[in-house]
């Protein structure tokens, strides 16, 4: 029996996939685990899904594996569907502005194609 899903996660084009295929298997496993958690629990802790301040509707999925930190930008489409944009390996305290800009461009492109 499958657990109840509160939301669904989809990829838009290959932006996320391009990042995902480059990762080691243990990182891929943790990313998949985190995405499934986001789909299956009603109230997702900020530890795993957080709104990016000063953006309109952009969120980050937060994945940590030992000392490595990964971020996957995403946004909602009709509150139950999460669209994955780009991902990156976070190496500094602050999220690089160019990664946020890239995610916002992907979000705008997605919304204009709908």
């Amino acid at each position: 029996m499958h657990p109840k899903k509160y939301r669904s996660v989809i990829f838009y084009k290959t932006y996320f996939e391009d990042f995902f295929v480059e990762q080691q298997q243990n990182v891929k496993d943790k990313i998949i685990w985190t995405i499934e958690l986001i789909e299956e629990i009603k109230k997702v802790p900020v530890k795993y899904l957080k709104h990016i301040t000063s953006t309109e509707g952009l969120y980050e999925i937060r994945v940590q594996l030992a000392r490595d930190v990964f971020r996957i930008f995403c946004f909602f489409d009709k509150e139950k569907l999460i669209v994955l944009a780009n991902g990156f390996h976070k190496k500094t305290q602050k999220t690089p502005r160019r990664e946020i800009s890239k995610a916002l461009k992907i979000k705008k492109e997605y919304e204009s194609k709908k």
Side-chain angles (χ1 to χ4, degrees):
M1 190 171 118
H2 293 290
K4 177 178 176 20
K5 283 190 173 188
Y6 289 96
R7 57 199 68 77
S8 295
V9 174
I10 64 165
F11 303 169
Y12 176 61
K13 294 193 173 178
T14 63
Y15 299 111
F16 167 74
E17 211 172 339
D18 294 343
F19 160 76
F20 184 80
V21 297
E22 293 176 4
Q23 304 311 311
Q24 295 178 347
Q25 190 57 51
N26 62 342
V27 174
K28 289 178 183 178
D29 292 343
K30 185 67 184 254
I31 289 170
I32 290 166
W33 179 88
T34 306
I35 288 171
E36 287 174 347
L37 177 98
I38 289 167
E39 287 181 324
E40 296 169 3
I41 64 174
K42 194 170 189 169
K43 185 163 174 29
V44 181
V46 168
K47 177 180 179 178
Y48 299 110
L49 182 66
K50 181 180 183 221
H51 180 256
I52 304 288
T53 52
S54 74
T55 69
E56 197 168 311
L58 190 64
Y59 290 77
E60 65 179 3
I61 295 173
R62 309 168 98 186
V63 178
Q64 184 160 353
L65 187 65
R67 300 187 83 124
D68 287 324
V69 177
F70 300 88
R71 296 290 186 255
I72 302 158
F73 289 113
C74 61
F75 49 91
F76 284 84
D77 182 358
K78 297 190 176 96
E79 85 183 48
K80 298 290 182 198
L81 180 66
I82 296 177
V83 181
L84 299 184
N86 54 319
F88 69 100
H89 186 176
K90 190 170 180 195
K91 297 177 181 170
T92 61
Q93 276 299 109
K94 224 166 157 36
T95 300
R97 192 78 213 149
R98 74 177 186 283
E99 294 292 345
I100 294 172
S101 295
K102 182 178 177 182
L104 289 169
K105 280 182 191 159
I106 293 168
K107 180 178 184 289
K108 190 174 186 175
E109 178 187 334
Y110 174 85
E111 289 169 345
S112 73
K113 301 276 188 224
K114 274 182 49 168

